[in-house]
Amino acid sequence: NAGVTQTPKFRVLKTGQSMTLLCAQDMNHEYMYWYRQDPGMGLRLIHYSVGEGTTAKGEVPDGYNVSRLKKQNFLLGLESAAPSQTSVYFCASRSTLGTARNTIYFGEGSWLTVV
Amino acid sequence: QQPVQSPQAVILREGEDAVINCSSSKALYSVHWYRQKHGEAPIFLMILLKGGEQKGHDKISASFNEKKQQSSLYLTASQLSYSGTYFCGTGLDQFYFGTGTSLTVIP
């Protein structure tokens, strides 16, 4: 029962470095999301995807890019990391079919620090 | 576009009740409620799919007023295990979570 898996779980980056966060889900969900969570700010939507090959911007997309080349994977990229991108990142997927329709399942989170 | 939750934080003694409110400036098509423990991912509590719907889950229940674009989460006879941050969420393709309510239950 893997569900939603995020890698890496922890990472420290230097300002200006690039990195990719990988999200993988094994539930055949169409919708996938990337959120960032900062103290007092709740969960803010960065980018989302409604199916393989599609992506769209959320509330706070600047400084991030995403790709969904395969249905099960949703990648979040930081091209040039900034200290303001220090945060906890959550990937999520969403069922649109069956009895669990609309339920959102989260990965365990990725703690990113940019110094 | 984030729904707004109130209160931001609440402290309860075991056995006390609490209400968490969620309101949106946009139409709510459905409302989800999630709870997050410190250092963990949010977990699903319940979905309300239409106005007027009420649901219960142990001693945690919720209501959805579609016209007022509001939902409320009710926690009765609170237990220590209820501590955490509660989020409402809504959306069709895009999905937004509320600002969060930190709930602490003390003995």
Side-chain angles (χ1 to χ4, degrees), chain B residues 77-91:
Chain B
S78 59
Q79 305 167 16
L80 296 175
S81 62
Y82 286 2
S83 291
T85 301
Y86 289 79
F87 293 99
C88 63
T90 188

Side-chain angles (χ1 to χ4, degrees), chain B residues 3-10 18-23 33 70-73 86 88 98-102:
Chain B
V4 176
Q5 291 181 229
S6 62
Q8 286 187 328
V10 60
V19 180
I20 298 171
N21 299 304
C22 172
S23 63
W33 285 96
Q70 293 177 342
S71 177
S72 295
L73 186 72
Y86 289 79
C88 63
T99 47
T101 297
S102 173

Side-chain angles (χ1 to χ4, degrees), chain A residues 47-58:
Chain A
H47 285 281
Y48 67 101
S49 169
V50 300
E52 181 178 314
T54 72
T55 63
K57 295 180 180 179

Side-chain angles (χ1 to χ4, degrees), chain B:
Chain B
Q1 299 192 38
Q2 257 185 323
V4 176
Q5 291 181 229
S6 62
Q8 286 187 328
V10 60
I11 298 175
L12 301 172
R13 292 197 179 277
E14 271 187 293
E16 291 183 337
D17 302 340
V19 180
I20 298 171
N21 299 304
C22 172
S23 63
S24 174
S25 58
K26 295 192 170 187
L28 290 173
Y29 298 100
S30 65
V31 179
H32 299 217
W33 285 96
Y34 291 78
R35 176 172 63 207
Q36 183 181 31
K37 301 280 189 178
H38 184 69
E40 299 179 4
I43 58 167
F44 171 76
L45 292 177
M46 66 187 77
I47 296 177
L48 297 99
L49 294 174
K50 54 188 177 182
E53 185 172 12
Q54 295 191 359
K55 276 195 174 178
H57 184 270
D58 290 334
K59 294 177 181 173
I60 301 175
S61 61
S63 63
F64 178 21
N65 188 323
E66 194 173 12
K67 288 183 180 177
K68 291 185 178 180
Q69 297 172 185
Q70 293 177 342
S71 177
S72 295
L73 186 72
Y74 306 93
L75 299 99
T76 58
S78 59
Q79 305 167 16
L80 296 175
S81 62
Y82 286 2
S83 291
T85 301
Y86 289 79
F87 293 99
C88 63
T90 188
L92 293 174
D93 292 343
Q94 300 189 51
F95 196 88
Y96 297 101
F97 286 91
T99 47
T101 297
S102 173
L103 185 125
T104 304
V105 182
I106 58 176

